[in-house]
Amino acid sequence: MFTGTFTVTQSSNIQNIIITDTSDYSGEGQGTFAGRQIRLYKIDTTTLVPPGTTTMYIDFPFSAGSSITITGVLLTDYSLSANVVWLSNNPQPGSIYTATEVVTFLNYINDFIYGKVQQLAASPSLLNDTQWQDSMQIMYNEKENAEQATLYDDQFAAQSAINRAFYLINNENMFF
Amino acid sequence: MGIFVPTVTYLNYGKISQFLAADRISQNMLFRGGDKAPNLSWLIELVRKSIEWKNGIDSTAESINDTSLYLYDLCGRYIREAKIILNSGNTGNIINPTTGGNVTIATPNPQFRVGRPGALMNAGDTQITFNYAGVVNPSLEITLDGNEVPYGDALQFSFTATYNPTNVVVVFSNPVQNEWLFNFHMIQLVAV
């Protein structure tokens, strides 16, 4: 019996994602698999792949070990549906060879907010600007919305919150 | 030269202060109809979480020092209370319910084979006294050659125990014999 499981984390380089295969191979050894494939679905069902990748998926060979770092894939914040497929040469009844998880990356929004906190630390009187403060509240709320939506596996709501936050980031001069 | 304060300490002050501020804001809204800084709780949380994020991805960033000091500044009047709360929650005390005094827990575990040098009992004995004060009643368990000895069973080899303030007296139903391996377990509250 095999049940595929994995975790997703972000490395200190905010463009990179680390996928870790946490499956238990005691029931079906790694030799019974032809390989592993990772798909990072955006809300429009297209997949996110590193630059130069010609397939819709990211190959995760067993020779890579239990973890793989996907580099240069996050050029902005996303809420993604991460899917890993284990390609079994000898599928067994009851085993599960695919796993999916909604993961949201907010480092660009967090970086923007931290930049604003730095400005505030240097110039506390910014709080007297009510528009500045209102915009910060909106930014912060949208970040929280994206986190909360992810807890409920609601990728669309999370991505919508990200998009609303990026409207403020992309029009910074209007809002801050 | 200033005193080094770890970033995590500032973050802890922030975590506590944001709730203290929220509490004060709620009280002022209820009893005074308004508060001079109604957004303070939110602002402390925003700054605290933002520093937390930065510290998580790059704890060596020089800007963390400035933003942490700003967080400390925001916590302002709540810092003193936050420090008290933070320090009082670090360790707990174990209280002896009988005396109300602080204690630590010990687990004496004497073991011997009857008749061998150093054994605490000789063949034919039926009683042994352990001079341990504050043994929890009932906590004594005895094994004989690896098997648990029952308490107060008239139908087989068993024991009874009397828990006194300064000792525990164990009486076996039958005399012990050479080569029997006894192992005693008990919980003791030791006053500190």
Side-chain angles (χ1 to χ4, degrees), chain A residues 34-72:
Chain A
R36 295 171 290 199
Q37 293 177 349
I38 300 165
R39 288 172 176 79
L40 303 170
Y41 290 103
K42 295 189 274 188
I43 55 169
D44 61 3
T45 69
T46 61
T47 58
L48 194 64
V49 291
T53 306
T54 54
T55 55
M56 286 179 61
Y57 59 85
I58 300 152
D59 197 27
F60 184 10
F62 283 100
S63 59
S66 61
S67 287
I68 185 170
T69 301
I70 303 168
T71 56

Side-chain angles (χ1 to χ4, degrees), chain B residues 47-131:
Chain B
V47 174
R48 191 261 300 171
K49 282 192 172 178
S50 192
I51 297 169
E52 222 165 35
W53 168 80
K54 188 68 177 177
N55 194 46
I57 65 163
D58 181 11
S59 60
T60 61
E62 288 183 11
S63 63
I64 290 176
N65 190 41
D66 290 340
T67 49
S68 295
L69 287 174
Y70 179 64
L71 174 63
Y72 188 83
D73 189 41
L74 281 178
C75 295
R77 59 184 285 186
Y78 304 108
I79 282 292
R80 188 167 172 272
E81 199 174 347
K83 284 180 178 175
I84 292 169
I85 292 170
L86 195 61
N87 292 330
S88 67
N90 279 349
T91 58
N93 296 324
I94 305 168
I95 303 294
N96 183 332
T98 306
T99 65
N102 286 346
V103 292
T104 58
I105 292 179
T107 54
N109 179 213
Q111 174 179 297
F112 58 85
R113 199 174 277 278
V114 178
R116 290 290 182 93
L120 301 178
M121 298 180 81
N122 296 311
D125 289 351
T126 58
Q127 181 174 316
I128 183 171
T129 300
F130 292 108
N131 291 315

Side-chain angles (χ1 to χ4, degrees), chain B residues 131-153:
Chain B
N131 291 315
Y132 297 125
V135 173
V136 175
N137 178 8
S139 67
L140 180 68
E141 290 183 346
I142 304 172
T143 62
L144 169 56
D145 292 332
N147 300 311
E148 187 163 354
V149 179
Y151 186 90
D153 185 357

